[in-house]
């Protein structure tokens, strides 16, 4: 089964009982939109150029700078603090990957697309909305430790990045077992003390986070996969 088919076959409960089940069920159609995008399809099919892959790594860099700056600012917040985990931080790995892919002058060769600017600005606004920040944290890091692991394997194979340089963004050596980490993350979501308004806001912000990611893929698709639907 292909990684995409495997992802699509993942069941979502019909009647979610916990908050993490609710969050996943309420946002899975948005996940599918991100996953089924022409750019991501080309990535997963192994038809995306190395320049396209590198373009995605560069956009990740700008989004994660915002995510991790706000995350550190909110590390002592009772809601955000329980998700804060230094081993999750991706910016050092992204810098290493960009150095490998583009060379030492990579900073002069990358810039955020319009969708990435909007996405990063939204993450920065979440500094005043801890539950909203959790939505962005969940969307990216849970994705990286889930489907990101398929992307790592495909990218390593497609671009010959088999010694890890260029795909270190997807390597979470410090987290131990990723299935166990994902289970723990869901438990932390379930132990949030959210009233219905806050819960609904977190779900809505997660849907938005997926949409921002899909829009970044759309920018990347226009630049690197112009024939994709
Ligand atoms: C290349 C395309 C992608 C594939 C193949 C893929 C695959 C998967 C798979 C298989 C899972 C389920 C893992 C499990 O059951 O524990 C998953 C979960 C997840 N993915 Fe993706 N994914 C892709 C793209 C994305 C994108 C672009 C995002 C967001 C930016 C994302 C965010 C998430 C999140 C947040 C989860 C966790 C859902 C939950 O269990 O609550 N994924 N993905």
């Amino acid at each position: 089964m292909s990684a995409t088919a495997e992802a699509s076959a993942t069941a979502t409960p019909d009647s979610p009982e916990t908050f993490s089940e609710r969050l996943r069920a309420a946002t899975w159609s948005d996940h599918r939109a991100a996953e089924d995008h022409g750019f991501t399809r080309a990535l997963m099919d192994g038809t995306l150029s190395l320049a396209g892959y590198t373009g995605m790594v560069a956009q990740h860099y700008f989004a994660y700078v915002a995510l991790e700056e706000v995350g550190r600012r909110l590390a002592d917040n009772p809601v955000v603090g329980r998700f804060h985990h230094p081993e999750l931080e991706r910016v050092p790995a992204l810098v290493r990957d960009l150095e490998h892919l583009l060379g030492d002058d990579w900073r002069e060769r990358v810039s955020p697309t319009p969708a990435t600017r909007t996405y990063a600005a939204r993450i920065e606004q979440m500094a005043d909305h801890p539950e909203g920040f959790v939505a962005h944290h969940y969307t990216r890091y849970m994705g990286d430790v889930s489907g990101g692991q398929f992307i790592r394997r495909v990218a390593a194979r497609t671009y010959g990045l088999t010694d890890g340089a260029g795909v270190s963004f997807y390597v979470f050596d410090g987290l131990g077992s990723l299935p166990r980490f994902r289970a723990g993350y869901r438990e932390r979501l379930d132990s949030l003390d959210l009233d219905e308004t806050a819960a609904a806001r977190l779900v809505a912000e997660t849907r938005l986070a997926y949409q921002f990611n899909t829009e970044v893929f759309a920018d990347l698709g226009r630049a690197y996969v112009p024939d994709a639907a």
Side-chain angles (χ1 to χ4, degrees):
M1 199 193 288
S2 75
T4 309
E6 206 172 317
S8 302
T10 309
T12 51
D14 289 337
S15 43
E17 284 174 8
T18 62
F19 179 67
S20 62
E21 287 172 359
R22 170 181 170 184
L23 180 61
R24 183 189 169 105
T27 59
W28 204 243
S29 62
D30 304 290
H31 181 278
R32 188 134 318 149
E35 188 193 345
D36 280 351
H37 197 276
F39 182 85
T40 22
R41 271 206 307 273
L43 172 68
M44 297 310 282
D45 288 351
T47 56
L48 182 68
S49 65
L50 178 59
Y53 172 73
T54 305
M56 179 181 77
V57 178
Q59 298 315 307
H60 282 154
Y61 169 77
F62 294 107
Y64 280 79
V65 164
L67 197 59
E68 292 175 3
E69 269 178 15
V70 178
R72 277 193 298 272
R73 242 185 288 159
L74 293 178
D76 294 331
N77 176 278
V79 176
V80 173
R82 66 179 79 192
F83 297 96
H84 189 75
H85 198 313
E87 299 290 348
L88 279 178
E89 294 220 341
R90 297 293 86 197
V91 170
L94 287 164
V95 168
R96 281 199 302 280
D97 288 343
L98 287 166
E99 278 168 358
H100 177 78
L101 293 164
L102 288 173
D104 289 343
D105 63 342
W106 66 270
R107 281 179 201 274
E108 286 131 56
R109 301 174 61 192
V110 298
S111 56
T113 71
T116 298
R117 280 182 209 279
T118 312
Y119 180 25
R122 180 69 183 184
I123 292 170
E124 280 155 19
Q125 283 171 6
M126 293 303 113
D128 300 323
H129 303 279
E131 279 100 9
F133 180 77
V134 170
H136 288 274
H137 191 282
Y138 161 81
T139 307
R140 281 306 332 181
Y141 294 115
M142 276 293 270
D144 299 334
V145 299
S146 308
Q149 301 305 303
F150 293 111
I151 299 175
R152 167 191 177 180
R153 263 173 262 152
V154 173
R157 193 170 58 229
T158 307
Y159 310 113
L161 303 170
T162 43
D163 65 356
V167 287
S168 57
F169 170 75
Y170 299 105
V171 178
F172 289 91
D173 282 341
L175 288 186
S177 148
L178 294 187
R180 203 174 313 131
F181 176 82
R182 290 197 293 264
Y185 198 103
R186 290 192 185 104
E187 277 167 22
R188 277 171 275 167
L189 285 170
D190 293 337
S191 67
L192 284 172
D193 185 20
L194 301 174
D195 62 19
E196 178 48 33
T197 309
R201 211 181 297 137
L202 204 160
V203 170
E205 190 67 28
T206 301
R207 299 200 65 188
L208 209 55
Y210 273 117
Q211 284 156 30
F212 283 124
N213 278 276
T214 303
E215 280 160 27
V216 173
F217 288 140
D219 280 349
L220 288 166
R222 279 187 286 276
Y224 298 107
V225 195
D227 297 335

